[in-house]
Amino acid sequence: MKKHYFRSAVAALLPLLLIAQPVEACTGFIIGKKLTADGSTLVGRTEDLEPNHNKNFVVRERVYNKKGAIFEDAANGFQYPLPEISYKYTAVPDVTPDQGIFDEAGFNEYGVSISATVSASANDKIQKVDPYVKDGLAESGLTSIVLPSVKTAREGVELIAKIVEEKGAAEGNIVTIADKEGVWYMEILSGHQYAAILFPEDRFAVFPNTFFLGHVDLSDTERTIASKDLEKVAKEANSYKEVDGKFHVSQSYNPPLQEADRSRVWSGIKSLDPSSPVKYDDASFDLLHTTDRKLTLRDAMNLQRNRLEGTKYKPQDQMELDGKGIPKKGEFDAVYKYPISNPNVMEAHIFQLKDEVPASAGGGTMWLSMGSPRNAPYLPYYGNILNTYQAYQELGDHYNDRSWYWTISRINDLVAKYPDLFEDGAIRTEMERLESQWMVEQDLSDQEQIALASQPEEASKKATEESLARAEKTFERLQEIRKEAEQKVADEHGKSALQDLDDEEDAAYEEKIDLVDFDYDYILAAGLFGATLLAIVIYLIRSKKQKGGKQDD
């Protein structure tokens, strides 16, 4: 769970008036292979937090750890012993490891893939019985602990379960872990409770920031992994719910459904299955759905780019452009809703897993859109690559035209701020043209990886060379698109319009205060002390005035 805090307008009163604004808006999905046109399994997520938040794409090498070595999460102090060998893996981390690594998604050298996490939270009753643990397992360190430590997806789920039981969870999270045996969907529900299922191959799911598991067959230990007190905690919390006479996980653990979750799960389901009977105002939404359609990678990309097209609703971030003011947190609007694709998306990824692609190559491809995919391309990457293109590795919190993330961020900002200049959709069309070309090329690359299965080093070299060449050529094209877009804006609105964008990015950076390591007990005590001291001073002043008044009489 990522939390960022913003400067109060009254800086002098910051210690007393600190206002937290947590943003949790990732959206995950799974499409079983029996529902896809090519028999591949599709798993993905949008990492959705805030604009102007740089991300990298890197390869983390295999490491032989010293005996007794410990992993420590800088975000909350969580510690856990490192294995003797940390396996090689790909990752999509933040650029501020001192505030948490947030490796988020990738393949390891054994073909295990992970997407972590979609944040969620248990209701207040549950949290009173089984509260989250301040220095427990959090999103910030989860991928960095799990992916380099396991050889199978089930091992990954079991490792998370072990950690949650022994050390506790710092927050609620939804995790997907996959390998050749299938996809595991796991919900970390409360401080020490969790449940995971082996996802059915003939179903699809869309899951924003709330829990979705229904009835879980605890007796089916081959397809279910769950904490032993899952039902007990719900009963002790007086939050236990049954549906059709059976214990229902999400109904028991969830708080009331938030509007931003409702809009994304509903629009996501309708995106994949327009004929689905789900209604926007349904009381709740199931995890598992089916469809008569044969879904494709393009459908998955469209899902992550969905902005409520074809519905009566409009994207919430369009309110200001429509002259309706700035959306206010927590306020309901009948027309403007929070879409899956929005300015807060920092990256989006889709794992396309194929039975025939060797596990040594990842068992498939991760299609990565760095920055919001609204006007950015998805590029394919195998799990056996040895390096990534330099533009993916640029650090820093400010705009940098050598950075893949910041280049896409600038293109998206230009299109969003000046929609009248880009209403022809030419940029999006160009991105989709490139993707369609790569989809064809990737089928040929799959055959190469299959042929090189007995020569893993040669396969890695081949995958790396192809991906670096594609990335270099694509980044050159993105720079052309950025410059053309900037010129179009400058021609219409003057060069000052571009400076305005720079100023807005700088202002956003200056306003951001990171308090990951903040001691909340300390600040609460300090606030109470300050308030008490202020009250004493006021009392003394009033007493003095009263005494002075009596003397004057």
Side-chain angles (χ1 to χ4, degrees):
M1 184 182 299
K2 299 180 178 180
K3 293 187 178 180
H4 288 259
Y5 299 78
F6 298 88
R7 194 182 309 276
S8 167
V10 187
L13 297 179
L14 180 62
L16 297 178
L17 301 179
L18 194 65
I19 300 176
Q21 295 184 330
V23 182
E24 310 167 358
C26 299
T27 305
F29 77 88
I30 304 172
I31 302 174
K33 63 183 180 181
K34 291 183 179 179
L35 294 183
T36 61
D38 64 356
S40 64
T41 299
L42 299 170
V43 185
R45 179 171 58 95
T46 56
E47 188 184 358
D48 181 344
L49 175 67
E50 62 185 359
N52 302 319
H53 186 116
N54 189 14
K55 296 290 295 186
N56 280 180
F57 174 43
V58 300
V59 175
R60 301 207 186 278
E61 298 294 340
R62 173 183 269 234
V63 176
Y64 294 87
N65 298 304
K66 294 181 180 179
K67 186 176 182 180
I70 299 291
F71 170 86
E72 181 169 355
D73 187 345
N76 69 342
F78 168 81
Q79 293 185 337
Y80 201 75
L82 287 169
E84 181 180 348
I85 301 173
S86 291
Y87 307 131
K88 169 183 168 289
Y89 67 103
T90 59
V92 189
D94 280 6
V95 298
T96 50
D98 57 318
Q99 300 168 15
I101 299 173
F102 294 99
D103 269 337
E104 296 299 309
F107 289 109
N108 75 9
E109 62 183 87
Y110 287 96
V112 178
S113 59
I114 191 170
S115 180
T117 67
V118 174
S119 302
S121 187
N123 62 55
D124 291 341
K125 290 182 178 180
I126 291 289
Q127 290 193 47
K128 287 180 180 178
V129 173
D130 186 25
Y132 296 117
V133 180
K134 183 177 179 181
D135 60 351
L137 182 65
E139 174 184 352
S140 46
L142 192 150
T143 298
S144 309
I145 280 288
V146 176
L147 201 51
S149 301
V150 302
K151 294 183 178 181
T152 69
R154 185 183 180 97
E155 284 182 11
V157 173
E158 290 173 341
L159 176 57
I160 294 172
K162 181 175 185 291
I163 294 173
V164 171
E165 288 176 357
E166 295 176 354
K167 307 274 290 184
E171 60 204 17
N173 278 309
I174 300 172
V175 184
T176 57
I177 310 179
D179 63 7
K180 287 296 184 183
E181 300 304 314
V183 182
W184 283 87
Y185 170 93
M186 183 176 196
E187 293 183 351
I188 303 171
L189 296 154
S190 57
H192 300 85
Q193 306 309 311
Y194 57 85
I197 62 168
L198 188 60
F199 196 85
E201 295 176 349
D202 60 350
R203 293 290 187 271
F204 76 84
V206 178
F207 41 96
N209 305 97
T210 190
F211 300 123
F212 285 91
L213 280 172
H215 169 65
V216 175
D217 186 357
L218 300 177
S219 66
D220 185 358
T221 56
E222 290 298 312
R223 302 184 64 86
T224 303
I225 298 173
S227 52
K228 62 182 179 63
D229 292 332
L230 186 65
E231 293 189 31
K232 179 183 177 183
V233 166
K235 289 177 179 178
E236 289 182 0
N238 196 28
S239 184
Y240 179 89
K241 299 285 177 59
E242 290 187 352
V243 175
D244 296 330
K246 297 178 180 179
F247 170 61
H248 196 283
V249 177
S250 61
Q251 293 286 335
S252 299
Y253 277 79
N254 266 341
L257 184 64
Q258 298 297 304
E259 187 69 13
D261 296 328
R262 178 184 299 280
S263 61
R264 285 177 291 144
V265 64
W266 174 80
S267 62
I269 293 169
K270 297 295 277 188
S271 172
L272 295 177
D273 182 19
S275 63
S276 171
V278 297
K279 296 180 176 60
Y280 186 88
D281 57 356
D282 282 348
S284 62
F285 296 85
D286 293 333
L287 175 67
L288 303 178
H289 302 267
T290 190
T291 178
D292 293 331
R293 298 182 68 206
K294 284 298 182 181
L295 300 169
T296 65
L297 176 61
R298 176 61 67 196
D299 290 319
M301 291 176 176
N302 289 341
L303 166 68
Q304 293 191 327
R305 286 173 168 144
N306 185 278
R307 288 179 56 77
L308 304 168
E309 294 92 347
T311 76
K312 65 180 181 180
Y313 303 110
K314 294 182 178 181
Q316 194 177 59
D317 54 270
Q318 194 177 315
M319 281 184 70
E320 189 174 9
L321 288 172
D322 289 350
K324 303 293 184 179
I326 298 174
K328 295 180 180 179
K329 183 177 176 63
E331 286 193 6
F332 174 83
D333 189 280
V335 175
Y336 293 92
K337 305 296 183 182
Y338 196 76
I340 293 172
S341 177
N342 62 77
N344 293 326
V345 175
M346 305 178 304
E347 57 89 9
H349 52 268
I350 299 170
F351 292 99
Q352 185 181 27
L353 306 175
K354 299 182 178 181
D355 291 342
E356 63 273 18
V357 175
S360 57
T365 306
M366 182 175 78
W367 292 81
L368 176 65
S369 170
M370 189 62 76
S372 169
R374 184 178 176 186
N375 296 286
Y378 289 86
L379 277 73
Y381 291 95
Y382 290 113
N384 61 350
I385 58 172
L386 303 173
N387 198 2
T388 63
Y389 186 59
Q390 179 57 40
Y392 282 125
Q393 301 181 45
E394 291 289 326
L395 304 176
D397 298 294
H398 290 75
Y399 175 73
N400 168 10
D401 62 12
R402 299 184 306 278
S403 158
W404 198 294
Y405 171 84
W406 287 112
T407 296
I408 292 299
S409 178
R410 176 56 60 92
I411 293 171
N412 276 322
D413 287 348
L414 289 166
V415 174
K417 189 167 185 177
Y418 302 101
D420 55 316
L421 297 181
F422 303 98
E423 60 185 358
D424 62 358
I427 294 178
R428 167 78 172 269
T429 299
E430 173 66 358
M431 302 306 176
E432 293 183 348
R433 182 191 69 80
L434 291 170
E435 291 162 353
S436 295
Q437 174 186 325
W438 299 330
M439 289 177 192
V440 174
E441 294 174 355
Q442 201 60 22
D443 287 338
L444 299 175
S445 296
D446 286 348
Q447 296 307 312
E448 292 176 344
Q449 290 295 313
I450 293 168
L452 292 171
S454 61
Q455 305 173 62
E457 291 185 4
E458 188 63 28
S460 290
K461 181 181 177 182
K462 182 72 172 176
T464 305
E465 289 174 350
E466 288 183 355
S467 65
L468 288 175
R470 180 187 292 116
E472 181 178 19
K473 185 176 181 180
T474 303
F475 192 62
E476 290 174 357
R477 180 69 184 112
L478 292 175
Q479 294 289 23
E480 292 173 356
I481 292 171
R482 173 185 63 80
K483 291 175 182 177
E484 291 167 2
E486 288 177 339
Q487 189 61 52
K488 183 178 286 190
V489 170
D491 289 345
E492 186 70 22
H493 298 282
K495 291 185 178 180
S496 61
L498 301 179
Q499 184 59 49
D500 289 344
L501 276 179
D502 290 335
D503 292 344
E504 288 170 9
E505 289 166 355
D506 289 341
Y509 174 76
E510 293 298 331
E511 288 296 305
K512 194 185 301 179
I513 301 175
D514 194 293
L515 294 175
V516 172
D517 294 324
F518 218 81
D519 189 328
Y520 294 97
D521 294 333
Y522 173 81
I523 195 61
L524 179 60
L528 290 173
F529 174 77
T532 303
L533 184 61
L534 182 62
I536 292 172
V537 171
I538 293 172
Y539 172 77
L540 291 174
I541 292 173
R542 286 180 175 175
S543 297
K544 186 174 181 179
K545 285 184 176 180
Q546 288 175 354
K547 289 180 180 179
K550 289 179 181 179
Q551 289 173 352
D552 290 339
D553 289 337

